[in-house]
Amino acid sequence: MAELTFDTLIDDGNYLGTERARMENQVILDELERKKKARNIAVPTDDNRVKARLREIGEPITLFGERPADRRDRLIYVLSQINAARGDDAMAVDEESSDESDEEEESEFYTPGSLELLQARRNIAEYSLPRAQQRIAQQLIDSKMELGRVVDIRKKVFGEVKKFAILGSQIGDERPISQVRFAPNNEILVTGSWSGTVKLWNVPACTPIRSLRGHSDRVGGVAWHPQATLNQSPDSVNLVSGAADCNLHLWSLNSESPLSILKGHQERVCRVAFHPSGNYVASASYDTSWRLWDVTTSQELLLQEGHSKEVYSIDFQHDGALVASGGLDAIGRVWDLRTGRTAMVLDGHVQGIYAIGFSPNGYQIATGAGDDTIRIWDMRSLKSLYTIPGHTSNVSDVRFFQANDMFFKKPSQKQEPTSPDLHGDTEMDTEIDQVKVDNPSDPSSAVPTFTPEEEWSYRSGLFFASSGYDGYVKIWSADDWQLLRTLTTDSGKVMSVDISSDGHMIGAGTYNRNFQLYSDLE
């Protein structure tokens, strides 16, 4: 399969390649446009007036079992159909209902963007399209995996997760630790604290490496460059932090002073995130906006509004195409960075959203809020998939396990299973696998086997961790959303949690100034 790029996307013959597909797509777009216009149609709220209006346009004034609210919806639908047939945007109604609709009128507004933002959107599209293509191709392979193999992988992974236990605890600062994050090589832990200091620690030894001082107020968020401690030079930008002094600082690993200071927010910066490409940084702030920054030029590319209250959390999708923001207005929004449009509204929490995270599968999102719950959202169905009553107090952080292939250790040839490799593309392999599952008399089908590659690929995103102000870190399965393990801390409030990319360590920052490490290795 040829690699999908921004240039080949437009000329792809498989994209709405037939006239029938184009017509079906146009019908869907017309229906969406009709529904959009229908929401702007003003109709009476009094049931007698609704009946009179229905009689006026020649419709039955009532249907069997129809309630007043249903009758009003039917009037809106009929008027929208008439408007669509006439080509009108709206239909005149009685003055009373028109006055009611004028009390609150919503309208979209646009602000001009810079040429740098336009180029950034194109770069993000070029970066994300091949990654999305690879992810979907791998998900197609995983979907064909035998049920027995999936069950065995889940048992093995969840069995290891249930072994997590306390590894060590270290006082990290003189004030509460607001956020902890593992470096991509899993050998360094960064902590940000309310003292305004960012510190680097060796793990699992918990010995200090360096203190990064530059903020004049409490640090709200820290994030690693995707290639930091791997391919990124220690003298280049490896780390970003945001604080209540309204600034973001870009840090190297060899200096205690920032390489650059990003200024623009009017209120405290709560959370920060690096784009998977490493070229951009996003920041969420109390000024009710989130912003996108260019790491190379230290320039603000985008000031995005859309929340009615403070924006607290932010996270990028692993493809790099989307970014999700969570606000204290209890609303989350998913934004398409390639177009600037809202892809989904996460409306369901009753209190502010303090944590948000994308699953590695690319279409599920977890949010943690002040209503003590974790909600799982599915972008395919555009709705909440599951609600987890996760903690007995505020949910402060959620983090999915994201596997890094560089930590995959392939066993020796003698340890490899002899079962057919599902990554093959031949029909014969599929047929043989099917026979083994469906034939109870075959002894090899009693215990389905799986390759280490299959396990590592399927493991990514199979569980996630959450922290709460109830003093607990909890690990959850990411397919049936069940509790796997509860880890206690020595604090009443856990401020942040993170999972190392090899899956063997969990870090937690607490309100009583320390951070704790947990491991599944005996």
Side-chain angles (χ1 to χ4, degrees):
M1 181 184 296
E3 183 177 289
L4 185 63
T5 65
F6 183 79
D7 294 324
T8 60
L9 177 67
I10 301 175
D11 299 328
D12 186 0
N14 294 325
Y15 180 70
L16 295 180
T18 64
E19 186 64 28
R20 178 180 177 183
R22 292 192 184 94
M23 294 177 62
E24 292 177 350
N25 186 61
Q26 188 60 43
V27 170
I28 295 174
L29 293 176
D30 292 342
E31 179 64 14
L32 290 175
E33 184 66 21
R34 185 196 64 77
K35 290 181 178 180
K36 180 180 178 180
K37 292 180 179 180
R39 289 194 294 268
N40 296 326
I41 296 177
V43 298
T45 55
D46 181 70
D47 190 45
N48 292 327
R49 290 180 175 270
V50 171
K51 292 179 179 179
R53 191 76 175 109
L54 286 169
R55 180 182 290 110
E56 180 184 339
I57 59 179
E59 290 290 322
I61 63 172
T62 185
L63 299 177
F64 180 76
E66 190 178 49
R67 296 174 301 175
D70 300 330
R71 192 157 35 248
R72 187 170 183 271
D73 292 339
R74 180 162 62 91
L75 175 59
I76 294 175
Y77 175 78
V78 173
L79 291 177
S80 66
Q81 293 282 24
I82 295 175
N83 290 345
R86 293 180 175 179
D88 299 333
D89 290 337
M91 173 174 282
V93 294
D94 59 281
E95 295 181 358
E96 178 182 344
S97 59
S98 297
D99 293 340
E100 292 174 358
S101 65
D102 291 339
E103 292 179 0
E104 183 176 357
E105 182 179 353
E106 296 182 358
S107 61
E108 293 182 348
F109 66 94
Y110 299 88
T111 55
S114 63
L115 292 177
E116 291 81 5
L117 176 59
L118 178 63
Q119 184 60 43
R121 294 198 189 281
R122 183 181 179 90
N123 293 340
I124 289 172
E126 292 176 341
Y127 176 83
S128 63
L129 287 171
R131 288 170 62 93
Q133 184 185 30
Q134 295 172 6
R135 171 177 57 82
I136 294 173
Q138 183 60 48
Q139 289 173 345
L140 182 61
I141 293 173
D142 293 342
S143 68
K144 297 178 181 178
M145 191 182 299
E146 297 173 1
L147 179 59
R149 295 187 181 189
V150 173
V151 172
D152 285 353
I153 291 175
R154 291 181 79 256
K155 286 182 179 179
K156 183 177 185 299
V157 174
F158 293 162
E160 295 174 357
V161 167
K162 292 178 181 179
K163 295 179 181 179
F164 269 100
I166 185 70
L167 180 65
S169 180
Q170 175 67 279
I171 295 178
D173 210 287
E174 57 190 21
R175 296 201 66 192
I177 303 296
S178 56
Q179 198 167 40
V180 297
R181 289 293 181 259
F182 285 103
N185 68 353
N186 299 321
E187 297 176 2
I188 302 176
L189 183 75
V190 61
T191 61
S193 80
W194 284 9
S195 68
T197 306
V198 177
K199 293 186 178 182
L200 304 179
W201 304 82
N202 282 310
V203 289
C206 297
T207 56
I209 300 176
R210 182 173 286 109
S211 296
L212 309 177
R213 295 180 174 89
H215 290 291
S216 60
D217 206 338
R218 52 188 173 182
V219 175
V222 291
W224 288 96
H225 187 287
Q227 295 301 318
T229 68
L230 299 178
N231 302 325
Q232 187 82 341
S233 169
D235 297 321
S236 302
V237 175
N238 281 258
L239 192 67
V240 64
S241 62
D245 57 9
C246 309
N247 297 331
L248 282 78
H249 288 185
L250 301 178
W251 307 89
S252 69
L253 297 181
N254 292 336
S255 175
E256 295 184 358
S257 58
L259 297 177
S260 180
I261 300 177
L262 310 182
K263 298 182 178 181
H265 281 293
Q266 304 301 313
E267 297 289 344
R268 60 175 283 203
V269 178
C270 301
R271 293 289 188 259
V272 292
F274 251 107
H275 188 268
S277 68
N279 297 326
Y280 309 101
V281 165
S283 56
S285 171
Y286 262 43
D287 61 10
T288 71
S289 73
W290 66 267
R291 307 192 186 205
L292 187 68
W293 309 81
D294 189 311
V295 174
T296 304
T297 63
S298 300
Q299 178 184 1
E300 178 187 304
L301 297 176
L302 173 66
L303 188 160
Q304 183 63 65
E305 298 174 315
H307 291 270
S308 60
K309 289 186 178 181
E310 298 87 345
V311 185
Y312 197 91
S313 55
I314 195 160
D315 190 40
F316 285 103
Q317 184 202 36
H318 300 289
D319 295 342
L322 307 174
V323 62
S325 60
L328 300 188
D329 54 2
I331 298 294
R333 289 184 178 271
V334 182
W335 309 85
D336 190 335
L337 291 171
R338 301 161 298 184
T339 63
R341 297 182 178 180
T342 300
M344 182 179 177
V345 177
L346 314 179
D347 186 4
H349 286 289
V350 295
Q351 292 190 32
I353 297 177
Y354 297 116
I356 195 164
F358 270 99
S359 168
N361 62 26
Y363 55 83
Q364 288 179 337
I365 304 169
T367 54
D371 56 13
D372 310 342
T373 65
I374 302 168
R375 280 183 177 261
I376 308 299
W377 309 83
D378 195 315
M379 292 195 62
R380 299 170 301 179
S381 58
L382 299 178
K383 64 180 182 180
S384 176
L385 188 67
Y386 201 84
T387 301
I388 306 173
H391 294 265
T392 57
S393 189
N394 297 348
V395 181
S396 58
D397 207 356
V398 290
R399 296 288 287 180
F400 280 91
F401 168 59
Q402 171 69 24
N404 190 332
D405 291 341
M406 69 171 293
F407 298 106
F408 170 68
K409 297 179 180 180
K410 189 173 182 179
S412 62
Q413 188 68 23
K414 295 180 181 180
Q415 296 176 344
E416 291 185 0
T418 58
S419 62
D421 187 1
L422 259 186
H423 292 274
D425 294 328
T426 61
E427 287 187 16
M428 185 175 296
D429 289 344
T430 305
E431 292 174 0
I432 293 175
D433 291 345
Q434 190 66 33
V435 170
K436 285 189 175 183
V437 174
D438 295 340
N439 186 6
S441 63
D442 187 355
S444 64
S445 66
V447 182
T449 56
F450 51 85
T451 65
E453 291 86 353
E454 288 174 340
E455 179 202 344
W456 185 254
S457 173
Y458 200 83
R459 177 190 290 258
S460 185
L462 195 54
F463 61 93
F464 72 94
S466 67
S467 60
Y469 277 16
D470 55 2
Y472 293 105
V473 171
K474 297 187 178 182
I475 310 175
W476 310 84
S477 64
D479 50 8
D480 59 0
W481 320 112
Q482 299 302 305
L483 180 64
L484 299 176
R485 180 75 168 156
T486 299
L487 305 173
T488 59
T489 65
D490 54 6
S491 173
K493 297 178 181 179
V494 185
M495 310 288 284
S496 177
V497 68
D498 195 25
I499 307 175
S500 62
S501 56
D502 60 3
H504 292 311
M505 282 191 295
I506 291 178
T510 65
Y511 187 78
N512 68 347
R513 305 171 300 157
N514 72 1
F515 66 90
Q516 295 179 276
L517 293 181
Y518 305 86
S519 176
D520 64 346
L521 300 178
E522 298 179 354

